[in-house]
Amino acid sequence: MANIRIKSQWFRSGTAKTPQQTASALAFIVWRVTQNMLKQMRSAHFDIDIGPQYFAFTREVLVFLAHVLDRMAFERMGSEERGEFIHALVRRLAEVLQENEDNLLGEPPAGQPSHYDEFIDLFNELADHYAEFGFGPDGPDFAFVRYLGHRIEALMPQKDQRWVVDQIMATEVPEAVEMLQRAMRDVLSTEARAPRAARSATSGD
């Protein structure tokens, strides 16, 4: 993911962000990271076809990364702030996913859950599962990441199942988590940051 550029720093001097502002900024980043992961997986010749499989993959990765951010928030926020943050984050991710899924696949038939509700339900369903796994300074532990890998494995054609868990665990997740750690730090920072023109002049660009 070294080729993806993410804006995660705000030009607001000395001002703490509300949980909702933090969630909005990070939801955008999570979406970008997920889309880049999809692109890299397809470039590595894993078959992820546009359609239901594409969005099933997207939902799984978004849920996983939301739970990763929840663990990061646990280390950085009070319980009330963290609750507001994760609630706003998951709702915003559900909105973005629904917009994209409705546009490409159409709205579900009458009587079926919306794509928004489907995402919320999956997040809640997997909350207890991900809660069982460890999380340290370097991010989610082996079992945490392997669980995502096996869930993705179930979505893949048979020819890809042998390799996809290793790809998720060894390449995709470490890069995604590193990006989110940096983004969380930058978004939560209240340190004043010089405008772009001033930074360029200082650096000689």
Side-chain angles (χ1 to χ4, degrees):
M1 293 188 187
N3 62 336
I4 183 173
R5 295 185 63 188
I6 296 292
K7 176 178 172 59
S8 59
Q9 292 172 309
W10 294 25
F11 299 94
R12 187 176 298 181
S13 175
T15 304
K17 290 79 177 175
T18 67
Q20 292 75 22
Q21 289 172 324
T22 300
S24 179
L26 286 170
F28 172 76
I29 293 168
V30 168
W31 180 259
R32 289 283 306 278
V33 169
T34 301
Q35 292 300 295
N36 196 66
M37 185 184 295
L38 269 164
K39 180 180 178 181
Q40 292 194 161
M41 293 283 292
R42 297 177 79 183
S43 294
H45 307 295
F46 290 96
D47 286 344
I48 305 173
D49 295 330
I50 298 296
Q53 182 204 19
Y54 179 94
F55 285 104
F57 181 101
T58 300
R59 274 193 301 275
E60 289 290 349
V61 175
L62 290 175
V63 166
F64 171 81
L65 295 179
H67 281 291
V68 167
L69 281 175
D70 186 37
R71 297 295 191 94
M72 293 181 187
F74 178 80
E75 300 170 349
R76 295 167 171 83
M77 302 176 184
S79 58
E80 182 176 351
E81 181 184 9
R82 174 193 172 207
E84 292 178 8
F85 162 74
I86 198 63
H87 182 71
L89 175 74
V90 172
R91 287 199 308 172
R92 182 58 188 143
L93 290 174
E95 290 169 355
V96 175
L97 180 62
Q98 176 176 249
E99 180 181 355
N100 282 268
E101 199 163 1
D102 285 356
N103 286 341
L104 284 175
L105 301 184
E107 296 183 15
Q112 296 295 314
S114 67
H115 294 131
Y116 179 101
D117 289 337
E118 191 174 3
F119 178 77
I120 299 293
D121 289 345
L122 183 64
F123 179 86
N124 290 332
E125 176 189 341
L126 299 187
D128 288 341
H129 298 231
Y130 281 122
E132 296 177 0
F133 305 131
F135 192 93
D138 295 328
D141 67 10
F142 180 86
F144 201 139
V145 181
R146 183 178 59 184
Y147 184 70
L148 171 67
H150 285 303
R151 291 190 63 85
I152 296 296
E153 180 183 29
L155 304 176
M156 304 301 291
Q158 186 173 4
K159 76 176 186 64
D160 291 335
Q161 290 180 348
R162 181 178 178 183
W163 313 108
V164 71
V165 176
D166 285 344
Q167 177 74 16
I168 291 290
M169 296 188 67
T171 302
E172 304 302 336
V173 167
E175 293 182 358
V177 169
E178 181 181 1
M179 188 169 291
L180 290 189
Q181 287 173 326
R182 185 167 61 251
M184 175 71 91
R185 182 187 65 243
D186 291 344
V187 170
L188 290 178
S189 174
T190 58
E191 182 178 349
R193 195 161 177 262
R196 181 181 299 274
R199 297 201 312 276
S200 296
T202 301
S203 63
D205 293 340

